[in-house]
């Protein structure tokens, strides 16, 4: 595995004053085209296998497990809030990662341990089928695995994203992430219906069927980490010790020594405005996000196979437009797309208010609604990532990413927690009242985005 600390193709003049001369020899001036090509191909393969792991450890499949175990809406809220709340540890993980000498080894340690923990839940599922564990104990075990797995993942996420941001040239980000995300969604499009069929038709029952799917998903999660071996490794200490000329951010953003997080945030007003937008948006979105599947599975009492078909339609729509969104973002910028498409995402929960227990809803309106959701969320997800990849300076990138994740995670977790209690309260209109409230909050969340200036646009 090669080890390179910058993401550019063009040679850069490197200022080496005040640096240890022994490190200069270790610092290549550029990535070769072959380095970048191999790394991007490896990252795409990583994304495909990681998608299989993710769909088996979250989303509709875990939601269906909890429905089978008679979990309450509060449990669903906790399930969705834990992955976001534990993002609060990302700044700690970012700090630790900056003290290491290899992004790959740090990723292998954090994500490898995180994914292996899910094998404990596999054992618990088969213990439940043997009556060793009862349903409530299995619910507690599921939430515990979600908690500790995402804690470890949170320690590694900022470092991984910083690694990817360094590898991918800025001018290719929109298109590459469009292709990469398309590969992920194509994988989901194929695998989610297959997983739903296995679970619903497994001879040992749906819970045991999920245990089988989870076993295969965990194996794929380990394979995805093996794919990262072929990405160009990055030494965080070398990356942060060098001041670079001609890079994508102004010299004052990357060449001055940052001594504390207050100065890191305070010197970047664009970052502060984006952080404000992202925190409000995450809270508003996650007021209702965990409860759409719960509404389908519990309130409308739909079979998990039908719900996975809806999810596949959403994934398919997402897949078809991702590359188009990527090209458009490279051409006109990310902020215009976030504002315009964000408005459509904001009003989407209102479209659920007319959905009832009717055949026309099942076979026409729900499929169309999921297709619409897939198209709009493709643009929002892609452009949000590109936006803060561009706003964060090269120096200490992982700390910037960790702060975004931590603030967004806490906001999202607060949203799901509040949403869980509102969903159980008849005074607020139950789930439908929650959907309307979420739509209003999403519209308010778009306001700070108007004032965010995108670098280079």
């Amino acid at each position: 595995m090669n080890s390179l600390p910058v993401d550019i193709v063009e040679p850069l003049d490197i200022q080496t004053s005040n640096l240890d001369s022994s490190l200069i020899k270790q610092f290549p001036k550029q990535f070769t085209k072959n380095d970048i090509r191999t790394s991007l191909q490896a990252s795409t393969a990583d994304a495909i296998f990681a998608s299989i792991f993710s769909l088996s450890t979250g989303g509709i499949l875990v939601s269906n497990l909890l429905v089978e175990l008679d979990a309450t809406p509060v449990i669903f809220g906790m399930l969705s809030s834990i992955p976001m709340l534990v993002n609060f540890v990302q700044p700690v993980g970012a700090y630790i990662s900056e003290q290491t000498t290899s992004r790959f080894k740090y990723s292998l340690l954090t994500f490898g341990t995180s994914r292996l923990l899910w094998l404990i839940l596999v054992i618990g599922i088969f213990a439940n089928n043997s009556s060793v564990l009862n349903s409530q104990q299995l619910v507690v075990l599921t939430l515990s695995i979600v908690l500790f797995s995402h804690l470890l993942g949170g320690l590694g996420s900022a470092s991984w994203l910083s690694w990817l941001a360094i590898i991918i040239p800025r001018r290719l980000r929109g298109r590459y992430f469009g292709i990469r995300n398309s590969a992920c969604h194509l994988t989901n499009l194929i695998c989610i219906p297959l997983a739903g069929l296995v679970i619903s038709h497994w001879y040992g029952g749906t819970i045991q069927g999920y245990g089988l799917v989870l076993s295969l998903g965990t194996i794929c999660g380990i394979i995805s980490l093996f794919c990262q071996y072929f990405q160009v490794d990055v030494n965080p200490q070398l990356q942060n010790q060098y001041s670079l000329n001609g890079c994508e951010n102004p010299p004052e953003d990357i060449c001055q020594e940052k001594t504390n997080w207050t100065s890191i945030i305070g010197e970047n007003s664009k970052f502060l405005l984006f952080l404000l937008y992202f925190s409000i948006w995450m809270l508003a979105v996650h007021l209702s996000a965990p409860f759409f599947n719960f509404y389908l599975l519990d309130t409308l009492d739909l079979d998990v196979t039908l719900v996975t078909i809806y999810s596949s339609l959403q994934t398919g729509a997402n897949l078809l437009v991702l590359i188009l969104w990527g090209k458009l973002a490279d051409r006109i910028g990310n902020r215009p797309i976030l504002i315009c498409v964000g408005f459509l995402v904001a009003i989407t929960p209102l479209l659920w208010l007319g959905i009832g227990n009717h055949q026309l809803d099942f076979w026409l309106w729900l499929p169309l609604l999921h297709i619409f959701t897939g198209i709009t969320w493709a643009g929002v997800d892609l452009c949000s990532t590109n936006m803060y990849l561009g706003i964060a300076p090269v120096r200490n990138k992982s700390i910037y990413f960790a702060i975004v994740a931590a603030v967004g995670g806490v906001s999202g977790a607060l949203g799901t927690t509040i949403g869980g209690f509102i969903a159980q309260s008849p005074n607020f209109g139950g789930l439908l009242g929650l959907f309307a409230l979420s739509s209003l909050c999403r519209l308010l969340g778009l306001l700070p985005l108007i004032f965010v200036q995108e670098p280079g646009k």
Side-chain angles (χ1 to χ4, degrees):
M1 172 183 280
N2 298 323
S3 180
L4 298 172
V6 291
D7 69 330
I8 45 180
V9 178
E10 298 81 0
L12 296 179
D13 294 329
I14 301 174
Q15 299 174 356
T16 56
S17 59
N18 303 321
L19 295 173
D20 191 330
S21 60
S22 65
L23 291 176
I24 298 175
K25 297 178 181 179
Q26 304 176 40
F27 190 90
K29 290 186 178 180
Q30 64 181 47
F31 283 162
T32 66
K33 291 182 179 179
N34 187 59
D35 289 328
I36 294 176
R37 184 182 302 111
T38 302
S39 296
L40 298 189
Q41 290 172 347
S43 179
T44 303
D46 169 27
I48 292 171
F49 286 104
S51 293
I52 299 175
F53 169 77
S54 296
L55 70 88
S56 67
T57 58
I60 182 60
L61 301 185
V62 175
S63 296
N64 184 69
L65 172 68
L66 293 180
V67 168
E68 293 292 330
L69 297 174
D70 297 322
T72 65
V74 172
I75 296 295
F76 274 82
M78 293 176 63
L79 178 70
S80 299
S81 66
I82 286 174
M84 293 176 291
L85 188 60
V86 297
N87 280 331
F88 200 74
V89 305
Q90 284 209 28
V92 177
Y95 175 80
I96 295 173
S97 73
E98 296 303 316
Q99 314 309 310
T100 66
T101 58
S102 170
R103 295 286 189 202
F104 169 71
K105 292 179 181 178
Y106 186 73
S107 176
L108 188 64
L109 175 65
T110 53
F111 289 110
T113 308
S114 168
R115 293 175 183 182
L116 287 173
L117 285 178
W118 286 92
L119 293 176
I120 299 175
L121 182 58
V122 173
I123 297 172
I125 287 172
F126 287 96
N128 173 260
N129 280 277
S130 303
S131 300
V132 176
L133 290 179
N134 60 38
S135 295
Q136 293 305 310
Q137 290 172 329
L138 189 55
V139 168
V140 173
L141 179 62
T142 302
L143 292 178
S144 300
I145 296 299
V146 170
L147 173 61
F148 289 107
S149 174
H150 283 88
L151 272 173
L152 288 167
L155 291 175
S157 293
S159 176
W160 173 85
L161 188 56
S162 179
W163 183 14
L164 211 58
I166 292 297
I167 291 174
I168 304 170
R170 179 175 179 175
R171 64 180 181 273
L172 298 179
R173 280 178 188 164
R175 280 169 286 177
Y176 174 69
F177 276 114
I179 294 171
R180 188 180 190 274
N181 291 351
S182 293
C184 294
H185 290 299
L186 178 60
T187 303
N188 288 339
L189 181 65
I190 296 171
C191 294
I192 288 179
L194 291 177
L197 287 172
V198 170
I199 291 172
S200 60
H201 293 91
W202 187 251
Y203 71 92
T206 56
I207 296 178
Q208 192 179 96
Y210 174 70
L212 175 63
V213 170
L214 181 59
S215 302
L216 296 175
T218 304
I219 293 172
C220 289
I222 300 302
I223 294 174
S224 81
L225 295 177
F226 175 74
C227 294
Q228 293 181 7
Y229 175 81
F230 298 97
Q231 295 177 199
V232 177
D233 199 5
V234 172
N235 185 330
Q237 296 191 35
L238 293 184
Q239 174 189 341
N240 290 333
Q241 285 190 54
Y242 281 87
S243 298
L244 307 177
N245 289 330
C247 53
E248 62 187 46
N249 291 20
E252 60 268 19
D253 284 339
I254 63 170
C255 299
Q256 297 177 0
E257 191 70 28
K258 303 293 193 295
T259 58
N260 56 65
W261 289 359
T262 302
S263 63
I264 289 176
I265 300 175
E267 293 176 11
N268 196 330
S269 58
K270 296 188 297 290
F271 178 76
L272 276 176
L273 285 170
F274 180 84
L275 197 63
L276 178 62
Y277 149 73
F278 193 68
S279 60
I280 299 174
W281 179 256
M282 288 293 286
L283 187 147
V285 165
H286 287 92
L287 273 175
S288 59
F291 303 103
F292 292 120
N293 283 335
F294 181 79
Y295 184 70
L296 296 174
L297 293 167
D298 187 73
T299 304
L300 300 183
D301 197 26
L302 297 182
D303 184 81
V304 64
T305 303
L306 185 57
V307 178
T308 56
I309 291 174
Y310 294 153
S311 180
S312 297
L313 289 173
Q314 180 173 324
T315 301
N318 202 305
L319 168 67
L320 291 176
V321 299
L322 263 173
I323 297 178
L324 296 177
W325 284 128
K327 291 180 179 179
L328 188 61
D330 287 339
R331 184 173 305 154
I332 70 171
N334 298 287
R335 190 176 70 121
I337 297 175
L338 280 176
I339 293 174
C340 296
V341 182
F343 175 80
L344 297 178
V345 171
I347 64 173
T348 299
L350 296 178
L351 303 179
W352 282 77
L353 300 185
I355 300 296
N357 219 331
H358 309 290
Q359 292 298 315
L360 184 64
D361 293 337
F362 295 161
W363 301 110
L364 179 61
W365 299 123
L366 279 172
L368 288 176
L369 182 56
H370 280 79
I371 291 172
F372 176 75
T373 301
I375 292 172
T376 53
W377 267 109
V380 170
D381 285 340
L382 179 67
C383 293
S384 291
T385 301
N386 288 344
M387 189 95 169
Y388 70 78
L389 283 178
I391 289 175
V394 170
R395 187 179 179 86
N396 293 314
K397 263 188 183 295
S398 64
I399 294 180
Y400 280 85
F401 298 154
I403 293 170
V404 171
V407 172
V410 171
S411 298
L414 181 61
T416 57
T417 303
I418 294 172
F421 287 105
I422 292 177
Q424 289 193 134
S425 174
N427 297 328
F428 290 93
L431 287 174
L432 297 182
L434 178 64
F435 295 163
L437 178 62
S438 175
S439 185
L440 176 62
C441 292
R442 292 183 190 193
L443 290 171
L444 294 175
L446 290 174
L447 294 179
L449 192 61
I450 298 173
F451 304 99
V452 178
Q453 295 300 316
E454 186 175 359
K457 299 297 179 183

